[in-house]
Amino acid sequence: MQQINEKDKLADQRRDMVLNQLQIRGIKDTELLKIMSDLPREEFIPAEFQSQSYADNPVPIGAGQTISQPYIVALMTQELKVNKFCDVLEIGTGSGYQTAILASLARHVYTIERIERHSLTARQVLNSLNITNVSYHVGDGTCGWPTDKKFDRIIITAAAPDLPRPLADQLKIGGLAIVPIGPEIVQELVAMEKTNDGFNTRNICGCRFVKMIGKFGYTE
Ligand code: SAH
């Protein structure tokens, strides 16, 4: 009985989050709103923080990392313009929540996380939700996916000094990257479209992410 009530409460909070955090702030993509209405965010959050599953802020997931605020996940996903023909590269698997949303929209998601424990936990949660169109890699995402594959979309969910060169090279011409660019404290969320002779960039809004640590990122 207790458990059923808890589930109902979380479902109510999820509906409230979609309405009062996403729709009210301009998230309009109906497919994305449906996915976020259905996806149990609590599954991606450590037990001690589960009561904050639908809070309007980042929540700790361990090892000094956080699951991003629901609105920023929605905004980045909407800006990435993912469809069923897209192969998406994600840097910063973290909890796997963003990965799960991307996987529901894309052909396949390739996700890199530098902390092995996060990658393994995310993989377990996605498997338990029957989300199978995802490949996981543990390592430094700033060096790119460890094959010569090219991607239609790239999303970085940690603060980057710029789009790392190996990732710029792995993005197809006409492809799109969403990257929080800037130092540790505050960044600008930037949309970058790859053209024949460089990138068209557009600033979306200010944001705040943990650092992307790696060869073409920041030091620890
Ligand atoms: N989208 C995730 C956000 C996780 S926070 C979520 O909503 O849960 C950012 C993640 O990026 C952290 O888990 C951190 O360990 C990871 N990260 C930082 N630098 C990285 C790098 N160079 N390669 C891969 N992952 C990295």
Side-chain angles (χ1 to χ4, degrees):
M1 193 61 181
Q2 183 98 33
Q3 244 181 356
I4 293 173
N5 287 342
E6 197 51 39
K7 268 200 134 166
D8 284 351
K9 203 166 103 189
L10 287 164
D12 281 349
Q13 289 175 358
R14 184 157 62 245
R15 267 191 295 276
D16 185 70
M17 176 273 284
V18 169
L19 191 63
N20 292 315
Q21 297 178 36
L22 308 188
Q23 291 189 277
I24 218 163
R25 292 182 180 136
I27 303 297
K28 292 197 170 67
D29 183 325
T30 48
E31 200 180 353
L32 172 61
L33 289 167
K34 169 87 173 82
I35 290 165
M36 291 185 74
S37 299
D38 292 343
L39 189 63
R41 189 171 156 89
E42 60 274 16
E43 302 287 329
F44 298 84
I45 294 187
E48 66 266 40
F49 296 112
Q50 240 151 36
S51 62
Q52 294 182 47
S53 296
Y54 296 97
D56 195 11
N57 48 258
V59 176
I61 55 169
Q65 307 303 317
T66 53
I67 178 171
S68 305
Q69 177 194 22
Y71 171 66
I72 201 83
V73 172
L75 179 65
M76 290 175 88
T77 308
Q78 183 168 269
E79 291 286 349
L80 201 61
K81 302 185 172 84
V82 180
N83 62 50
K84 277 286 166 218
F85 301 101
C86 290
D87 285 334
V88 180
L89 175 61
E90 178 191 43
I91 311 302
T93 315
S95 66
Y97 181 66
Q98 173 96 63
T99 320
I101 294 169
L102 293 169
S104 305
L105 293 162
R107 174 164 50 200
H108 199 93
V109 179
Y110 299 77
T111 185
I112 309 180
E113 169 58 53
R114 62 183 282 275
I115 299 174
E116 185 174 26
R117 186 161 61 85
H118 284 334
S119 180
L120 292 174
T121 306
R123 186 190 296 230
Q124 272 171 10
V125 175
L126 269 76
N127 283 345
S128 75
L129 294 170
N130 283 322
I131 299 173
T132 54
N133 57 333
V134 179
S135 300
Y136 304 82
H137 177 69
V138 177
D140 177 5
T142 71
C143 296
W145 189 257
T147 66
D148 55 8
K149 189 170 170 54
K150 301 263 192 209
F151 298 92
D152 304 284
R153 302 286 185 268
I154 295 180
I155 180 169
I156 301 184
T157 66
D162 202 346
L163 179 66
R165 166 59 49 195
L167 298 181
D169 290 344
Q170 283 194 320
L171 186 61
K172 289 182 189 170
I173 305 280
L176 199 59
I178 302 290
V179 191
I181 295 181
E184 193 171 351
I185 306 298
V186 63
Q187 306 92 37
E188 188 70 28
L189 195 59
V190 181
M192 305 178 71
E193 188 190 359
K194 188 165 171 178
T195 65
N196 278 317
D197 36 38
F199 280 92
N200 288 330
T201 64
R202 179 172 55 86
N203 288 8
I204 300 166
C205 62
C207 57
R208 189 170 186 169
F209 281 86
V210 297
K211 282 190 295 188
M212 180 175 69
I213 296 164
K215 187 171 174 200
F216 300 92
Y218 292 110
T219 51
E220 215 154 340

